[in-house]
């Protein structure tokens, strides 16, 4: 998941779309939790800014998204995003919100950032594997939920330097998906990156066990 946008007067002037909120059941426990913990307009604006900063520079940021509609309703799962080139719609589960009470604010804002990224990321002319779309990674092995994909994404950014994910996203703009993009962006084939990441995690856990 992209890091939060920095709160600073030096932030670039990103294009902020119009936001629409639709709550389908105000009597649902999840609706009350959402409204008690989140300011919808502020949370969506921060999610857009974080997505821009994660994927683009002020010179490359797209301006095509005109409206993002957030729909809160009851359904199985967590959230999903769909829409046209200019109008996006994010559906967030009230049942999921109700289950996230202990960390409601962080959970909701984290999911919103994740879904807003989908509004702006490139998808290799509709040829990206599902795991790549979810984590801007490569292959289904990383499509294991918000946390796993976010950790691997952050690891690539730390390993290859700030802007690595931006470069990866840029490669997906006008060409079909090919695992060779990881070699171009990160300097290693995708399987090598994944294996290195898993090995580092294993070593970290082993060190903790020794303490």
């Amino acid at each position: 998941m992209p890091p939060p946008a920095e709160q600073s007067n030096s932030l670039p002037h990103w294009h902020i779309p119009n936001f629409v909120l639709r709550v389908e059941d105000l009597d649902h426990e999840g609706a009350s939790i959402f409204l008690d913990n989140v300011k919808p307009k502020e949370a969506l604006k921060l999610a857009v800014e974080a997505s821009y900063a994660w994927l683009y520079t002020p010179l490359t940021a797209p301006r095509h998204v005109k409206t993002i509609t957030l729909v809160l309703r009851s359904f199985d799962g967590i959230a999903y995003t769909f829409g046209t080139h200019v109008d996006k719609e994010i559906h967030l589960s009230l049942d999921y919100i109700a289950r996230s009470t202990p960390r409601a604010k962080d959970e909701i804002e984290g999911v919103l950032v994740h879904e807003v990224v989908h509004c702006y990321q490139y998808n290799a002319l509709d040829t990206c594997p599902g795991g790549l779309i979810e984590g801007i990674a490569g292959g289904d092995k990383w499509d294991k939920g918000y946390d796993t994909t976010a950790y691997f994404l952050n690891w690539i950014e730390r390993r290859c330097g700030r802007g690595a994910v931006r470069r990866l996203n840029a490669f997906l703009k006008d060409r079909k998906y090919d695992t060779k993009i990881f070699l171009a962006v990160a300097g290693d084939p995708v399987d090598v990156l994944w294996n290195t990441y898993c090995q580092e995690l294993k070593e970290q856990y082993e060190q903790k066990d020794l303490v």
Side-chain angles (χ1 to χ4, degrees):
M1 179 172 56
E6 296 178 7
Q7 305 276 346
S8 169
N9 293 329
S10 62
L11 277 174
H13 180 69
W14 305 114
H15 170 70
I16 304 299
N18 181 53
F19 299 126
V20 177
L21 174 65
R22 189 166 81 236
V23 184
E24 294 196 353
D25 184 1
L26 280 170
D27 289 328
H28 195 292
E29 179 187 4
S32 298
I33 293 171
F34 179 91
L35 296 172
D36 286 343
N37 286 275
V38 174
K39 296 179 180 179
K41 183 177 180 179
E42 179 180 309
L44 285 167
K45 181 175 183 291
L46 288 174
V48 169
E49 291 172 342
S51 299
Y52 274 143
W54 191 239
L55 299 176
Y56 302 100
T57 69
L59 294 178
T60 63
R63 302 174 62 87
H64 62 275
V65 178
K66 304 302 181 184
T67 303
I68 295 178
T69 299
L70 175 61
V71 179
L72 305 181
R73 64 182 186 84
S74 176
F75 64 92
D76 293 334
I78 300 176
Y80 63 91
T81 298
F82 67 98
T84 67
H85 189 61
V86 297
D87 297 312
K88 306 295 184 180
E89 193 163 299
I90 298 171
H91 285 229
L92 177 56
S93 170
L94 289 172
D95 305 294
Y96 170 75
I97 294 172
R99 295 194 302 269
S100 67
T101 304
R103 305 182 59 247
K105 185 176 188 299
D106 290 340
E107 286 289 327
I108 292 168
E109 291 181 348
V111 172
L112 287 180
V113 171
H114 181 97
E115 295 302 324
V116 168
V117 167
H118 288 325
C119 296
Y120 290 98
Q121 71 185 138
Y122 295 128
N123 65 2
L125 306 177
D126 293 324
T127 65
C128 283
L132 180 54
I133 292 295
E134 286 302 315
I136 312 186
D140 291 340
K141 62 169 71 73
W142 293 303
D143 191 7
K144 298 181 182 297
Y146 293 102
D147 289 342
T148 300
T149 55
Y151 292 149
F152 182 74
L153 195 69
N154 289 330
W155 179 83
I156 287 182
E157 188 83 354
R158 293 194 306 271
R159 183 178 189 271
C160 303
R162 186 175 179 85
V165 174
R166 289 178 187 166
R167 296 194 298 275
L168 186 59
N169 182 62
F171 264 90
L172 300 175
K173 180 180 180 181
D174 297 318
R175 69 193 79 188
K176 291 185 177 181
Y177 174 71
D178 189 315
T179 57
K180 292 179 181 177
I181 63 173
F182 286 90
L183 182 61
V185 170
D188 283 309
V190 63
D191 288 338
V192 171
L193 291 168
W194 176 253
N195 290 335
T196 303
Y197 170 66
C198 291
Q199 181 61 33
E200 288 189 11
L201 286 182
K202 180 181 178 181
E203 291 173 357
Q204 290 175 12
Y205 286 128
E206 289 176 346
Q207 289 175 0
K208 288 181 180 178
D209 289 339
L210 293 175
V211 175

